[in-house]
Structure formats: C-alpha cells, structure tokens
Amino acid sequence: MADKSKFWYLKNINIFDGMDDNQMKMVEKMTTMSKMGKHHPIYFSEQPSNNIFFLKEGHVKLYRLHEDGREVILDILGPGEIFGELSIVDQGGRREAAETLDDALVCSMSMRDFEDMVLHNPGLNVQLTKWVGLRLRRFEEKVSDLAFKDVTKRIISFLVRYADDFGRIKEGTVQVSSLLSHQEIAYLTAASRQTVTTVLNELKDKGLIDFTRKTLSIIDFDKLRHLSR
C-alpha cells in the first residue's frame, strides 16, 4: 500500500501493542518519520542520546568500532523493532552506532517525550522492560556463541537466528533476503571473510542451504539448527 500513514506504521511497532488509537495519535504527534537509503548512518557511538527510534520498514545494524578500526556487529533489526532504547538504562552517550542495511523507514521521538510517555503509561513501561530484556538476551546469546562455539558453529548459529528473525517459508524452504555481505557475517561471528565463504559453500554442497546475492535459502532448517548446537 503506497498510502500507508505514519499512524498505520506506528500501530505495527511491537512495543506499542495494547495502546489504543487515542494514545497512538499522541505518539504520532511526537514522532518524525524519515526515509533512508542503504547504508545510511542513523547515529554514531558517543553521540548524545537525544532520540529513540522505531524501525517501520527495512533493516538496521547496530555495531561498534574497535580501536583498530574493525567493526563488531551487535545486532540486526527488522521492521517493528525499537532501538536506541538502551541509553535510557545507561543514562549516557550511545555505546553503539546504527546504520541501515537497505532502504528503510525510520521513526524518531525525543528521549524526553518517550520517557514522559513511559512514565504515564504503565502498559508501555511493561513492554519496554520486556523489550530491553529481549535485547540483552540476544546480546548474551551472541557472547555465549563467541565464548563456547567454534567458528563453524558460530556461523551456523548466526544463519539459524537470521532465518528465525527474518525468514519466510516458501515452497518448503526458509528464505531470507541476503542483506549482509560475507564480510558483515564475519563481523557478526568473529570470523574471517574467507572462513565465512568456505563454511557457506560447504553447507551448500551438503544441500543444507543455497544462496545468491539476493537471497539465502535454508533447505533443511532442522538439521542446520542441530549442527549449530
């Protein structure tokens, strides 16, 4: 639908589940919607935490830059997700940067307005608490993978989570838009780009996955999940 309103999009942001139309109209007045192209920076680390963001369309990566210039990708977000919210807990500058992976529609709200809204809406407060817990649990899973799994299992674990988060069933396979380069998967899994390419090709030769520049297909999801453990 080309005529989807900002209100329609906001109603489909997960954290706003349970809010009525009057409450959502108040949210609409406090937000700004922006269209962004691929690889568009949304904010950088160490910037003041003045705004919170809601992703309506597209995908965003959260990442940090190591002192030596290496990129460490913390998370990949899809439509319906909130980001920049951890600064509410930290009460300081942002620790991560955010950048679009494809064409995206992003809504922003001032942190002050959001905090005031949470203060006066217990239901939203509960949703935010759950959301922050989910985000931290995702970070913990990634840290656990890095600590306890070898590089092949780390890459396979990423593929499983990626398909869980963004995949769609089509003709018996799980298909995902191929948003990430092999180098970006390497950043996510603490691997080299060459290792990522090798592991993906091995999984393809075994008939577990298939991929092109535009799509990733998980042919045997259950077996792939088993291999990630």
Side-chain angles (χ1 to χ4, degrees):
M1 293 170 57
D3 59 346
K4 288 176 182 174
S5 65
K6 184 169 71 170
F7 180 80
W8 185 93
Y9 281 112
L10 286 168
K11 283 285 285 184
N12 286 274
I13 298 294
N14 296 341
I15 197 171
F16 294 134
D17 285 352
M19 294 183 71
D20 61 33
D21 285 356
N22 288 331
Q23 291 172 316
M24 289 307 305
K25 287 175 181 176
M26 290 297 296
V27 174
E28 184 181 18
K29 291 179 181 179
M30 294 186 288
T31 56
T32 301
M33 190 163 66
S34 302
K35 291 184 178 180
M36 299 180 182
K38 186 177 182 180
H39 297 313
H40 187 285
I42 301 171
Y43 59 78
F44 298 98
S45 61
E46 307 306 325
Q47 277 189 332
S49 306
N50 296 327
N51 293 289
I52 195 164
F53 301 89
F54 312 99
L55 183 59
K56 302 170 184 179
E57 290 182 353
H59 299 81
V60 165
K61 68 176 178 181
L62 303 181
Y63 68 97
R64 293 180 184 172
L65 287 177
H66 197 270
E67 290 179 356
D68 62 8
R70 286 184 295 116
E71 188 177 279
V72 179
I73 298 180
L74 304 173
D75 207 355
I76 304 295
L77 311 179
E81 300 201 61
I82 181 175
F83 58 105
E85 85 287 357
L86 293 183
S87 56
I88 295 175
V89 179
D90 292 341
Q91 292 294 315
R94 301 194 187 281
R95 296 187 177 184
E96 82 288 347
E99 179 183 301
T100 61
L101 287 170
D102 51 3
D103 291 342
L105 201 55
V106 179
C107 185
S108 64
M109 177 188 293
S110 78
M111 190 68 74
R112 181 176 297 179
D113 283 343
F114 185 74
E115 289 177 334
D116 186 64
M117 187 172 64
V118 170
L119 183 65
H120 293 92
N121 192 315
L124 182 60
N125 198 343
V126 171
Q127 288 290 90
L128 177 63
T129 301
K130 289 180 179 178
W131 190 263
V132 170
L134 175 63
R135 175 67 47 76
L136 293 176
R137 188 159 61 247
R138 282 158 65 168
F139 287 167
E140 288 171 0
E141 287 175 358
K142 185 172 183 290
V143 170
S144 178
D145 281 355
L146 294 175
F148 300 112
K149 293 184 178 181
D150 63 35
V151 65
T152 298
K153 286 190 176 182
R154 291 200 301 270
I155 294 168
I156 295 174
S157 290
F158 161 73
L159 295 177
V160 169
R161 284 198 300 270
Y162 194 51
D164 267 339
D165 289 342
F166 306 121
R168 295 182 178 181
I169 302 292
K170 185 176 180 180
E171 296 178 357
T173 66
V174 183
Q175 296 194 355
V176 197
S177 296
S178 188
L179 299 166
L180 299 171
S181 67
H182 288 192
Q183 183 62 69
E184 287 172 319
I185 296 174
Y187 289 146
L188 271 161
T189 57
S192 69
R193 183 186 59 78
Q194 293 87 345
T195 300
V196 169
T197 299
T198 298
V199 171
L200 293 181
N201 284 331
E202 288 175 351
L203 294 172
K204 183 176 182 178
D205 291 341
K206 292 177 181 177
L208 298 177
I209 70 171
D210 195 10
F211 57 89
T212 67
R213 289 186 177 182
K214 293 185 177 181
T215 59
L216 167 70
S217 299
I218 311 295
I219 298 168
D220 193 332
F221 189 80
D222 289 339
K223 188 169 183 178
L224 197 69
R225 187 190 295 277
H226 178 74
L227 290 175
S228 71
R229 294 168 180 164

